[in-house]
Amino acid sequence: MDNYTLTLGAVKYVSGSGYVIDEEKILTSVPIEAASIAIGEQVTQVIEVTANISSPAFGGNGARSRIDVREDISGTSATGSWIEPIKYEAILTVRNSNGNDLIEYPSYAAAFGSFGMVNENVSKVLELRNSGAAPAEVTLTAPEGFTAEPATITVAAHSSENVTITVDASTPGIKSGNLVIASNGLAEDFALVLSATVLDPNKYFEGFEDNKPSTAIPAGWYDVDNNWSKTSNTNGDNNYVSSSSEGEHKLITPLLKVAEGEKMSFEARKKTASSNTSSYINVYYSADRKNWTLAKEISKDDLDVNTFTTFVLEGVPAGNNYIAFQSGYCAIDNVYGFELVPVAHDVVVKDFKVPTTAMANNDVTATVTLQNLLGEAETEYAPTLYFDGTEVATAEAVEIPAHGTATATVEFTFVANEVGTFPAKAEFVFSEDYTVTTDEVEVTVTPESADALVQVGEATSTGSNVPLYMLYNNSESQTIYTAEQLGLKAGAKITSLTYKGYCTGSKTLSPTVTVWIENTEATAPMVNEGKLFDTEGMTQVFEDVCTVEPKGSYSEHVDMLAFNLNEPFEYTGGNLKVIVRSLYTDYMTVYFEADGNVSGQSIYRCEDVQTTFLEG
């Protein structure tokens, strides 16, 4: 049988025959060593081949090929293995226990590195996986407070090894830093952020675990715009606070004492999967809750939606500071670090209202709304109003309820005698070392005359439907103002109506607006079964094209609609009905001041199609 051979070669695909050895890609042919093979007998023959991966058998460029063996007696073949040449190098990936690549996915890396609040040593396991053909030599350098075991390791080709990362809980404090992983299997060193908080009983800690209603922010904290809410679970340590919108909505800690170089930690996550694109957290510090400095920015890419991640705040200057969390669609929990500064009082000014124009020798009324951040009501303090630096009025102290969303309003009345522009401010003395002062408001005092500007009701909020719902092309409103709200004497002449508010839109509207007024005994508006409000018997006092444009802001309200009446309307001393109607072909959201203390005194209609609006 010396004339017969075995042929080893790469295959090619031939239609109708399948894979066959490519005659141009034969690696070797060797004689069959057995002198004879009896019927039914099997023999084993080892064929050794050395081939260059760039040879034609491998496609000339290291492509994947299958190597078959053919005996040349009858031409039958045996299927071999697919062979894919791999460059002799290490290729390292760093994974968590679930197999997630921490280099490729930063959110998984952030979750792994966050060890949370601990009071004993806690360990996590990293998997080092080498998918290359050469061994990977790996060195791990752990930050202070953590260990990596082993610190050096060789990961064989096509295999993996585990490394245990442990936080040392022998001393309290915030542990943070980079675990640096260096290897010939990485294009560059990988820095994995590690953080843990070993609890110190002397440091400030808020875990939001008091199980109170979801609106109850802890005592001492200040939810500036009532934008944050707290969960109220009762089955475990899983309560937290969260924000449901973007904007300048700060949640502020109590006053905290910061030592030189001291850190704070907190946990955070995205609120929901649907908020992924809008999630963020900005952290600020301030000594006075007025002037804020940005200390840390956390983007959506740093946050996980299912798991809280620990973040470390650094760089807050030594001294007494407040820390503020400004968030969009995120939750925070377990705020830890610094020391609580005990205070006997903590009251903030929510609102200070004083007319910006007043008439000489007439009463001027100013109101201040106060909120108490501590856990006991405030009842003893001295309210004083200053005008041009001079005390002009005092007021009785009203109870300011304990912490929560409740507020109290203090009212001052004074007479301005001198014409000009002067600063007004209110001051509240709670003790020898604690005084709350409002910002100053400039008030212009005009010469005494028969004209007067009267504000009806208290602007506690804003709404977009009264007097006009300008998100629709056509709208109208009907409002009843009571005699008590008007505060006018019978015989007073009304010469103009002004509605304040703001608009952040992007265009200018020019609707035709008509206004009717009527003295009435009615206490509530009348619906006209879906048709236009009935103006029969009312006095049309205005009709013209008005300009409505973007101006003002959420915190600064300006004149949005002002109607100078055709003729003065005489008020007879009772209630007043006002109907305002707008016809146009475009729309934009406009916000108008509203009094949230009353209800049931306004109704409105709206419709984009003008014929439908007019016919009902």
Side-chain angles (χ1 to χ4, degrees):
M1 298 185 65
D2 291 342
N3 295 326
Y4 298 100
T5 60
L6 295 174
T7 297
L8 186 72
V11 299
K12 67 178 179 180
Y13 182 79
V14 178
S15 179
S17 301
Y19 284 100
V20 299
I21 291 179
D22 188 340
E23 297 300 326
E24 296 181 356
K25 297 181 180 180
I26 295 175
L27 296 177
T28 187
S29 293
V30 297
I32 298 176
E33 295 177 351
S36 63
I37 304 175
I39 295 175
E41 181 183 0
Q42 293 185 359
V43 296
T44 300
Q45 182 169 330
V46 177
I47 303 174
E48 294 185 357
V49 176
T50 301
N52 190 305
I53 62 172
S54 63
S55 70
F58 292 93
N61 61 357
R64 180 172 179 260
S65 295
R66 195 179 83 191
I67 307 301
D68 285 2
V69 178
R70 182 184 68 210
E71 51 81 19
D72 293 326
I73 299 174
S74 60
T76 60
S77 295
T79 300
S81 301
W82 285 100
I83 298 175
E84 181 177 357
I86 298 176
K87 185 178 181 180
Y88 189 72
E89 64 179 2
I91 303 174
L92 189 72
T93 55
V94 181
R95 300 169 181 257
N96 61 17
S97 58
N98 293 324
N100 304 118
D101 189 333
L102 304 188
I103 298 177
E104 183 176 357
Y105 298 102
S107 63
Y108 286 118
F112 178 91
S114 173
F115 283 69
M117 308 288 181
V118 302
N119 54 15
E120 61 182 9
N121 289 5
V122 175
S123 298
K124 295 186 179 184
V125 175
L126 276 179
E127 179 191 21
L128 305 178
R129 181 174 297 182
N130 180 10
S131 59
E137 305 295 338
V138 185
T139 299
L140 301 97
T141 305
E144 183 178 357
F146 294 86
T147 60
E149 181 61 37
T152 59
I153 192 171
T154 299
V155 184
H158 310 298
S159 65
S160 61
E161 299 286 347
N162 289 339
V163 174
T164 300
I165 311 300
T166 303
V167 57
D168 178 8
S170 60
T171 57
I174 296 174
K175 320 287 186 179
S176 65
N178 291 334
L179 172 68
V180 179
I181 302 176
S183 173
N184 60 324
L186 296 173
E188 58 184 20
D189 292 353
F190 172 50
L192 176 60
V193 179
L194 303 181
S195 64
T197 300
V198 181
L199 296 178
D200 182 341
N202 297 316
K203 298 299 180 183
Y204 180 73
F205 176 70
E206 179 54 67
F208 306 103
E209 300 301 340
D210 54 12
N211 296 324
K212 290 183 179 178
S214 60
T215 55
I217 298 298
W221 287 69
Y222 182 25
D223 181 4
V224 178
D225 300 314
N226 296 329
N227 179 261
W228 291 73
S229 61
K230 188 185 74 63
T231 56
S232 55
N233 301 304
T234 58
N235 55 342
D237 297 340
N238 53 359
N239 285 319
Y240 54 84
V241 292
S242 61
S243 171
S244 299
S245 65
E246 297 178 68
E248 298 293 324
H249 308 298
K250 291 182 173 68
L251 178 65
I252 306 172
T253 68
L255 186 62
L256 301 172
K257 181 181 179 181
V258 183
E260 188 69 38
E262 192 174 5
K263 304 174 184 179
M264 168 179 273
S265 70
F266 61 94
E267 297 176 356
R269 70 167 176 83
K270 296 172 185 174
K271 191 173 181 183
T272 62
S274 61
S275 67
N276 278 351
T277 58
S278 304
S279 301
Y280 75 96
I281 300 175
N282 291 339
V283 188
Y284 301 81
Y285 64 85
S286 170
D288 57 8
R289 280 194 299 226
K290 294 181 179 179
N291 302 293
W292 294 97
T293 300
L294 180 63
K296 189 176 185 68
E297 294 180 280
I298 301 172
S299 72
K300 60 183 177 63
D301 296 330
D302 299 320
L303 296 160
D304 186 71
V305 69
N306 297 312
T307 306
F308 277 95
T309 300
T310 299
F311 295 92
V312 177
L313 175 64
E314 302 180 76
V316 179
N320 291 348
N321 284 282
Y322 298 94
I323 306 300
F325 299 91
Q326 178 182 300
S327 168
Y329 305 102
C330 288
I332 64 170
D333 199 2
N334 295 331
V335 178
Y336 172 81
F338 311 149
E339 294 182 27
L340 181 66
V341 178
V343 295
H345 312 275
D346 197 0
V347 175
V348 294
V349 175
K350 295 294 291 183
D351 196 16
F352 176 35
K353 292 182 179 177
V354 60
T356 55
T357 59
M359 187 182 298
N361 303 319
N362 282 264
D363 285 349
V364 180
T365 299
T367 59
V368 182
T369 303
L370 302 167
Q371 182 176 348
N372 176 18
L373 304 183
L374 299 186
E376 293 186 5
E378 292 280 6
T379 57
E380 297 183 4
Y381 56 94
T384 306
L385 183 72
Y386 293 88
F387 192 70
D388 195 23
T390 302
E391 178 183 321
V392 293
T394 60
E396 293 294 325
V398 299
E399 179 179 310
I400 312 173
H403 84 291
T405 58
T407 58
T409 300
V410 178
E411 184 174 287
F412 303 90
T413 300
F414 70 102
V415 175
N417 302 115
E418 186 177 348
V419 174
T421 299
F422 309 98
K425 69 176 182 179
E427 188 175 270
F428 303 85
V429 179
F430 291 82
S431 65
E432 291 184 0
D433 55 0
Y434 187 78
T435 298
V436 174
T437 305
T438 68
D439 293 334
E440 289 189 344
V441 174
E442 295 291 323
V443 179
T444 299
V445 181
T446 60
E448 186 174 12
S449 71
D451 297 329
L453 177 64
V454 176
Q455 177 172 312
V456 181
E458 181 182 1
T460 63
S461 61
T462 58
S464 59
N465 6 23
V466 176
L468 294 175
Y469 197 2
M470 307 204 74
L471 188 58
Y472 286 79
N473 292 347
N474 310 283
S475 68
E476 64 176 351
S477 71
Q478 180 186 161
T479 303
I480 302 295
Y481 298 101
T482 67
E484 291 77 14
Q485 292 168 336
L486 293 166
L488 298 174
K489 295 179 181 179
K493 300 294 182 64
I494 300 173
T495 59
S496 66
L497 299 175
T498 300
Y499 296 90
K500 299 176 74 69
Y502 70 98
C503 175
T504 58
S506 59
K507 51 189 173 182
T508 298
L509 306 183
S510 302
T512 298
V513 180
T514 310
V515 182
W516 293 265
I517 300 180
E518 179 185 35
N519 291 295
T520 182
E521 295 180 357
T523 58
M526 296 294 292
V527 180
N528 195 24
E529 298 181 355
K531 301 180 183 297
L532 286 175
F533 296 144
D534 186 5
T535 59
E536 184 177 354
M538 300 184 70
T539 302
Q540 180 181 310
V541 295
F542 178 88
E543 184 172 63
D544 204 349
V545 174
C546 295
T547 299
V548 182
E549 58 188 352
K551 57 183 176 179
S553 67
Y554 173 84
S555 58
E556 182 183 1
H557 299 169
V558 297
D559 294 349
M560 291 304 303
L561 287 173
F563 308 123
N564 293 318
L565 307 191
N566 302 332
E567 296 180 0
F569 180 85
E570 183 173 346
Y571 171 68
T572 59
N575 297 342
L576 201 66
K577 179 195 289 187
V578 177
I579 291 179
V580 183
R581 182 179 300 160
S582 170
L583 303 178
Y584 197 45
T585 57
D586 202 354
Y587 59 91
M588 178 172 62
T589 300
V590 181
Y591 296 95
F592 299 98
E593 289 185 341
D595 189 339
N597 299 315
V598 298
S599 61
Q601 293 182 213
S602 292
I603 58 175
Y604 68 93
R605 294 177 62 250
C606 56
E607 172 63 56
D608 279 333
V609 180
Q610 193 168 112
T611 54
T612 304
F613 176 76
L614 294 174
E615 295 172 3

